[in-house]
């Protein structure tokens, strides 16, 4: 009687377990997957919409000015972003100003998952004026494939539960399955962590290539030379009109004509210098967003390179009381990536201006470059030091993290992260930070010197 009652109770419990595993568990897993999938897809769509709006905002000004060269470059850079397969830009009269159309052939898995090409048309406004529209073509392959793998994990979890219950008849097998389940849970946790790390790297890579956010950081630097060029053109137009009027009336004197020529040369020189400044800013932005722009090696004179960088940053440095001292031998020539060296220096100077010194306080930046011998190899020792306020020890551990900044109003948190990437991934070197509160900060960069023509 006892054994029968025990068997009945055991069978009842087993039936309850089978009911939970075979009926309730699939429903719960399906509901959980549906909630996760809905939330993830919505978040992805919102983030994509924000990104496309940012791209559209960056296109408004060049569309307004009909700057075909900038529009072409922006469409090419935007099309390199994940999901986006085509960009088409039109003015307010529906005339195409620029486009980039990449042929998209879905894989077999994408076809099975129903991946489709979608379009988003955004009207472009500049100074509250409708200037045109931008049409973005994109796919939702990434979230669909991601959710497909998540669904496989959910199915795997259900199968694990099913197999676990099926083997309840044998205690030893049950213990073994429990141990295996624990091991698999650990593996799943590790897999999830690796997936999150990989996803973070992808997000960081996409965000560093997002020109919309980076263009905000240089908007003031572009507006200033643009305003000077516009003012110079206005003055030239006025002078030309005056001279033409006097010439037509035969009232133009030789002295007035000479003065007119001198003024025109001065205005033209001013416009050329500011145009060159805008070109340098655009090229700098392009190097940040497109790492392939700094992948070519060349022999370069480092003293001349540093001088060029300092000259290009002079408009910003002159607004501060910071003195820059460069200690570099005139004949220091190395075979390296000039664009990467220039970008490292520009980001370090920008970081020092924003974070090293209090507002309107005097300070000094020292730049030293020399070759040293390490074993059988030659290295370039690049030292960048300031006598500013220094960095707290806890912050020193995070200064190279993407998007980490102590002053969100003044920077995007990408400067030192880009420096770290250029030093390690592009130039194959190392970077070390040494800082003490109240005594300044020093960055010590060691770069291997290669032989080449």
């Amino acid at each position: 009687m006892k054994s029968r009652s025990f068997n009945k109770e055991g069978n009842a419990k087993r039936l309850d377990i089978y009911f939970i595993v075979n009926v309730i568990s699939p429903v719960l897993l399906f509901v959980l997957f549906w909630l996760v999938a809905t939330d993830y897809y919505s978040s992805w769509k919102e983030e994509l919409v924000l990104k496309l709006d940012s791209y559209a905002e960056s296109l408004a000004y060049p569309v307004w000015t009909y700057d075909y060269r900038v529009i072409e470059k922006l469409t090419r850079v935007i099309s390199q972003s994940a999901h986006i397969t085509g960009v088409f830009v039109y003015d307010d009269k529906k005339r195409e100003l620029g486009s980039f159309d990449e042929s998209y052939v879905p894989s077999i898995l994408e076809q099975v998952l129903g991946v489709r090409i979608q379009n988003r048309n955004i009207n472009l406004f500049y100074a509250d004026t409708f200037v045109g529209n931008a049409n973005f073509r994109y796919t939702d392959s990434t979230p669909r494939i991601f959710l497909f793998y998540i669904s496989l994990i959910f199915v795997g979890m259900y199968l694990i539960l099913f197999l676990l219950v099926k083997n309840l008849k044998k205690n030893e097998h049950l213990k073994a399955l429990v141990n295996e389940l624990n091991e698999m849970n650990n593996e799943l946790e590790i897999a999830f962590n690796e997936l999150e790390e990989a996803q973070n790297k992808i997000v960081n890579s996409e965000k560093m290539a997002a020109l919309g956010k980076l263009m905000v950081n240089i908007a003031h630097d572009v507006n200033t030379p643009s305003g000077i060029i516009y003012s110079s053109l206005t003055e030239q137009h006025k002078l030309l009109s005056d001279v033409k009027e006097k010439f037509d009336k035969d009232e133009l004197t030789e002295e007035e004509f000479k003065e007119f020529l001198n003024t025109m040369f001065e205005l033209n020189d001013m416009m050329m210098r500011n145009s060159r400044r805008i070109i340098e800013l655009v090229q700098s932005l392009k190097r940040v967003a497109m790492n392939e722009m700094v992948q070519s090696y060349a022999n370069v004179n480092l003293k001349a390179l540093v001088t060029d960088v300092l000259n290009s940053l002079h408009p910003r440095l002159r607004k501060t009381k910071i003195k820059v001292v460069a200690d570099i031998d005139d004949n220091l020539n190395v075979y390296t990536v000039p664009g990467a060296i220039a970008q490292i220096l520009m980001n370090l100077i920008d970081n020092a201006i924003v974070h090293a010194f209090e507002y309107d306080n005097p300070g000094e930046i020292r730049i030293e470059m020399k070759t040293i011998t390490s074993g059988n190899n030659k290295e370039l020792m690049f030292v960048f030091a300031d006598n500013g306020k220094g960095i707290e020890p806890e912050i020193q551990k995070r200064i190279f993290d993407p998007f980490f900044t102590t002053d969100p109003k003044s920077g995007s948190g990408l400067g030192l992260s880009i420096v770290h990437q250029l030093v390690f991934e592009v130039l194959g070197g190392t970077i070390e930070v040494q800082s003490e509160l109240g005594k300044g900060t020093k960055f010590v960069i060691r770069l291997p010197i290669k032989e080449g023509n």
Side-chain angles (χ1 to χ4, degrees):
M1 292 293 294
K2 290 183 179 180
S3 61
R4 287 183 179 179
S5 61
F6 177 79
N7 289 334
K8 288 180 180 180
E9 292 176 358
N11 290 333
K13 292 181 178 178
R14 193 173 292 114
L15 288 174
D16 291 339
I17 294 174
Y18 274 108
F19 178 78
I20 292 172
V21 171
N22 294 324
V23 179
I24 297 178
S25 294
V27 174
L28 291 176
L29 289 173
F30 176 79
V31 172
L32 181 60
F33 172 76
W34 183 81
L35 292 174
V36 171
T38 303
D39 181 70
Y40 176 79
Y41 195 89
S42 299
S43 300
W44 174 85
K45 192 63 176 290
E46 291 176 1
E47 183 179 350
L48 180 63
V49 168
L50 291 175
K51 185 187 295 183
L52 294 181
D53 290 340
S54 177
Y55 289 155
E57 185 177 353
S58 68
L59 285 166
Y61 179 75
V63 169
W64 182 64
T65 58
Y66 285 88
D67 195 335
Y68 293 95
R69 182 177 59 82
V70 174
I71 292 173
E72 180 184 0
K73 290 183 178 179
L74 286 177
T75 54
R76 287 183 178 275
V77 173
I78 292 171
S79 63
Q80 292 180 2
S81 178
H83 318 303
I84 298 177
T85 62
V87 183
F88 307 88
V89 184
Y90 306 91
D91 65 3
D92 56 346
K93 295 182 177 58
K94 300 297 183 182
R95 294 175 300 193
E96 184 174 301
L97 300 181
S99 65
F100 190 87
D101 188 7
E102 180 181 358
S103 60
Y104 170 72
V105 180
S107 64
I108 297 177
L109 177 60
E110 291 175 336
Q111 295 178 14
V112 172
L113 296 178
V115 175
R116 60 188 183 277
I117 296 178
Q118 303 182 40
N119 290 278
R120 177 173 173 80
N121 190 67
I122 302 175
N123 291 331
L124 304 178
F125 292 88
Y126 183 81
D128 297 331
T129 302
F130 175 74
V131 297
N133 59 70
N135 185 271
F136 300 94
R137 191 176 65 193
Y138 62 93
T139 66
D140 57 353
S141 60
T142 299
R144 287 182 179 269
I145 293 175
F146 176 77
L147 292 175
F148 171 71
Y149 289 130
I150 293 295
S151 66
L152 293 180
I153 294 175
F154 276 82
V155 172
M157 293 172 62
Y158 170 73
L159 291 177
I160 291 172
L161 290 174
F162 179 80
L163 293 175
L164 178 63
V165 175
K166 186 177 180 180
N167 289 280
L168 284 175
K169 297 179 180 179
K170 298 181 180 180
N171 291 334
E172 293 181 358
H173 289 177
L174 178 60
K175 292 180 181 179
L177 285 174
V178 170
N179 292 332
E180 291 177 4
L181 180 60
N182 290 331
E183 292 177 0
M184 293 185 70
N185 284 335
N186 293 331
E187 292 176 359
L188 285 173
E189 184 177 357
I190 294 172
F192 270 118
N193 292 334
E194 292 176 351
L195 182 61
E196 289 178 354
E197 292 177 1
Q199 191 173 7
N200 288 334
K201 289 180 179 179
I202 295 173
V203 171
N204 289 335
S205 176
E206 291 179 352
K207 287 184 177 180
M208 284 196 290
L211 287 177
K213 293 182 180 180
L214 292 179
M215 287 184 70
V216 173
N217 295 332
I218 67 164
H220 295 293
D221 291 339
V222 172
N223 284 336
T224 299
S226 298
I228 294 173
I229 293 172
Y230 180 78
S231 300
S232 300
L233 285 172
T234 304
E235 182 65 20
Q236 276 192 351
H237 185 271
K238 180 179 179 298
L239 291 173
L240 286 169
S241 299
D242 293 343
V243 170
K244 184 178 182 301
E245 182 180 354
K246 290 184 178 181
F247 179 78
D248 292 338
K249 295 179 180 181
D250 200 18
E251 297 176 356
L252 183 64
T253 65
E254 183 178 354
E255 291 298 325
E256 288 176 336
F257 184 69
K258 289 181 179 180
E259 183 180 355
F260 164 75
L261 288 178
N262 292 332
T263 304
M264 292 293 287
F265 277 120
E266 292 175 0
L267 291 173
N268 187 66
D269 182 64
M270 187 182 303
M271 287 190 293
M272 289 182 63
R273 284 188 280 107
N274 284 277
S275 298
R276 194 178 302 113
R277 173 60 178 153
I278 293 175
I279 292 172
E280 291 172 355
L281 287 170
V282 173
Q283 289 176 344
S284 176
L285 176 62
K286 189 175 181 180
R287 285 195 296 268
V288 175
M290 303 172 64
N291 288 332
E292 62 267 23
M293 294 297 293
V294 294
Q295 293 296 330
S296 57
Y297 276 79
N299 280 310
V300 60
N301 182 279
L302 292 178
K303 181 64 175 290
L305 178 64
V306 172
T307 301
D308 290 339
V309 172
L310 294 179
N311 288 337
S312 67
L313 293 176
H314 177 69
R316 184 168 187 186
L317 286 168
R318 71 181 179 184
K319 297 178 182 178
T320 70
K321 296 182 180 180
I322 301 172
K323 178 183 178 183
V324 181
V325 179
D327 183 10
I328 306 171
D329 188 84
D330 293 338
N331 298 319
L332 181 56
N333 297 288
V334 296
Y335 184 70
T336 184
V337 184
I341 298 291
Q343 193 62 44
I344 290 171
L345 183 56
M346 285 189 288
N347 283 330
L348 289 176
I349 293 176
D350 181 73
N351 180 75
I353 293 174
V354 175
H355 300 288
F357 305 98
E358 297 292 346
Y359 175 74
D360 211 28
N361 280 0
E364 181 178 279
I365 294 175
R366 294 193 63 85
I367 302 169
E368 299 179 11
M369 291 185 181
K370 60 182 179 180
T371 56
I372 61 173
T373 302
S374 178
N376 296 327
N377 301 319
K378 282 187 176 182
E379 292 183 340
L380 174 65
M381 175 75 79
F382 179 180
V383 178
F384 183 93
D386 65 67
N387 61 349
K389 57 186 178 182
I391 307 174
E392 296 180 3
E394 290 300 321
I395 296 179
Q396 291 183 37
K397 301 176 183 178
R398 302 186 58 193
I399 59 174
F400 296 119
D401 293 346
F403 305 102
F404 173 77
T405 178
T406 57
D407 188 3
K409 296 181 180 180
S410 301
S412 62
L414 291 174
L416 292 182
S417 173
I418 293 172
V419 169
H420 187 272
Q421 180 212 13
L422 291 173
V423 170
F424 276 86
E425 298 182 14
V426 178
L427 299 175
T430 61
I431 183 170
E432 176 188 358
V433 58
Q434 303 170 5
S435 184
E436 187 176 348
L437 289 177
K439 295 186 177 180
T441 302
K442 178 189 293 185
F443 292 91
V444 181
I445 301 174
R446 292 174 177 262
L447 305 174
I449 296 179
K450 298 184 177 182
E451 298 294 333
N453 296 321

